Amino acid sequence: MTRPHAREIHTPAEFDAAVTQGSLLGYRIQSVDLTDHTFALLSASTAGAVFLGCAMQPEAAAKVRADGALVFPPVPDLPFDPYRARLYSPDELFEGVRDEGYEATPDALAYDWFQRTKADGDVFASMLRSIHDDAISDALDELLAGTGVVGVMGGHAMGRGTDAYAGAARLGRSLARTGLTVATGGGPGAMEAANLGAYTAPLADAVLDEALELLAKAPSFTPSVTEWARAAFEVRARWPKGGDSIGIPTWFYGHEPPNPFAGHIAKYFANATREDGLLARCSAGVVFLPGAAGTVQEIFDNTTPNYYESRGEPTPMVLVNRAHWTRRLPAWPLLQALAADRPMAARIALVDSIDEAPEALRRL
């Protein structure tokens, strides 16, 4: 995947290549440690550049500011980088989970910070959260440029070791094997299962069955996120060459950890930004597995732009489990009523089983 924002600098190597031109005019240098690049900063013109969270030696920072560059310095004592230039990886968010437990991981520490700062109403903290989330959106767009993305939505309560979980994993595997990038809400349950399926897509079919057996030892993230996460990392360690997929979770639901099977994790503080961004990027459609309030919200969040065609042509929507969506939570009749006599009517389907979903998506 190529990065469309050619004036952004995300690595020391990219900085070295750009600075040889003698001027950084128009460049945005994002979260790059420049403490060992003092000579280059002193020698080149940095007028018109923007430095976002870049560590520098004091003399370099003074010169850059004197040039007229905009400098947003790193913020000390934060458990996250608000200017980060890339998405999270599972290893990054769960660092330390094997030895110290989940409570010591960057994911848990970021949630603790969020809980403290959202309660005190500090405008500086809310600004940092907004900057972070915008940086995540930028990194997500760069990663997904030119790719077909299919969303799999479903509830977090779906337990490992159940038939439903295995079915959602097979769905993720099937969709990934068609060449699509699988994107989920990034949490446990149905979301994890779909990311797991995409992870096993390049591997032999038997791998998924074995992985499901291993994961069943820790069926839920309650009562122990630590044991739940360790089981996932055991699977990743046994089969380290899995496929990529996207997880888009949120710290807003702090009781809900991200799952370790999404190779790229776009984690947000603002749930509204996360929800809209996830659905907006599902260019190849969305499969909705049985869920509760959150999944119902996602169905109609996705319906609105399809109804008004505000993002262009309607994208496919496949609801799985007729009994769930017509009787238990009757979203399907309302979806049909909204779609009547509109172009989106040809892009919605209700199927009985997970195994029917890939063909329904292809047909739509």
Side-chain angles (χ1 to χ4, degrees):
M1 300 175 188
T2 58
R3 186 160 51 85
H5 306 297
R7 306 293 285 184
E8 292 182 9
I9 293 174
H10 294 170
T11 67
E14 291 175 352
F15 175 83
D16 290 338
V19 81
T20 57
Q21 304 170 26
S23 172
L24 292 174
L25 178 67
Y27 279 94
R28 282 81 173 99
I29 303 91
Q30 188 175 355
S31 194
V32 180
D33 187 345
L34 298 175
T35 52
D36 293 332
H37 296 261
T38 300
F39 180 77
L41 289 167
L42 294 176
S43 303
S45 171
T46 57
V50 179
F51 293 85
L52 300 165
C54 299
M56 305 180 207
Q57 297 290 355
E59 62 269 34
K63 185 265 182 186
V64 165
R65 288 191 175 93
D67 277 353
L70 282 176
V71 178
F72 296 81
V75 181
D77 303 321
L78 279 181
F80 63 94
D81 177 6
Y83 305 105
R84 60 180 301 114
R86 66 189 189 283
L87 301 183
Y88 293 98
S89 70
D91 288 331
E92 184 178 4
L93 285 177
F94 284 98
E95 182 182 2
V97 73
R98 291 183 179 88
D99 299 323
E100 301 175 72
Y102 175 71
E103 292 73 17
T105 65
D107 186 65
L109 295 175
Y111 174 65
D112 289 344
W113 177 89
F114 179 34
Q115 288 296 97
R116 292 195 309 273
T117 58
K118 77 174 184 180
D120 63 24
D122 182 1
V123 66
F124 180 57
S126 65
M127 182 190 74
L128 292 174
R129 293 195 296 269
S130 296
I131 291 171
H132 168 275
D133 286 1
D134 192 65
I136 289 294
S137 291
D138 184 65
L140 186 58
D141 285 337
E142 292 177 9
L143 179 72
L144 295 179
T147 65
V149 180
V150 59
V152 179
M153 309 298 154
H156 67 258
M158 185 183 288
R160 295 168 173 174
T162 64
D163 290 341
Y165 184 96
R170 290 195 305 272
L171 172 65
R173 183 177 65 182
S174 296
L175 294 173
R177 285 178 173 176
T178 68
L180 294 170
T181 296
V182 173
T184 78
M191 298 172 279
E192 180 189 57
N195 287 127
L196 167 66
Y199 185 84
T200 63
L203 309 173
D205 286 356
V207 169
L208 179 56
D209 295 332
E210 294 180 55
L212 291 170
E213 288 185 20
L214 286 172
L215 293 172
K217 297 185 298 183
S220 174
F221 63 97
T222 59
S224 173
V225 176
T226 298
E227 296 307 314
W228 175 86
R230 284 173 177 168
F233 279 101
E234 182 182 347
V235 169
R236 289 178 60 95
R238 184 169 297 194
W239 296 284
K241 296 183 179 180
D244 268 341
S245 64
I246 306 295
I248 307 183
T250 174
W251 279 294
F252 183 81
Y253 298 125
H255 65 286
E256 209 178 271
N259 80 73
F261 292 110
H264 306 281
I265 301 175
K267 190 152 192 181
Y268 288 87
F269 288 106
N271 186 52
T273 304
R274 167 252 191 172
E275 288 276 9
D276 184 68
L278 168 57
L279 293 166
R281 290 173 174 87
C282 293
S283 55
V286 184
V287 178
F288 296 92
L289 302 178
T295 310
V296 172
Q297 177 184 343
E298 288 163 346
I299 289 173
F300 292 104
D301 279 348
N302 199 56
T303 297
T304 302
N306 280 346
Y307 180 89
Y308 290 111
E309 298 184 64
S310 55
R311 296 182 187 140
E313 289 188 5
T315 51
M317 299 175 64
V318 179
L319 278 61
V320 176
N321 192 315
R322 190 175 303 272
H324 185 85
W325 294 122
T326 61
R327 293 197 294 273
R328 181 164 180 259
L329 295 174
W332 175 251
L334 179 53
L335 180 58
Q336 275 190 308
L338 284 167
D341 301 321
R342 303 189 75 89
M344 70 173 286
R347 297 294 181 92
I348 64 172
L350 175 66
V351 297
D352 291 309
S353 70
I354 282 178
D355 293 335
E356 297 174 76
E359 172 57 24
L361 191 70
R362 185 201 63 77
R363 186 176 67 252
L364 296 177

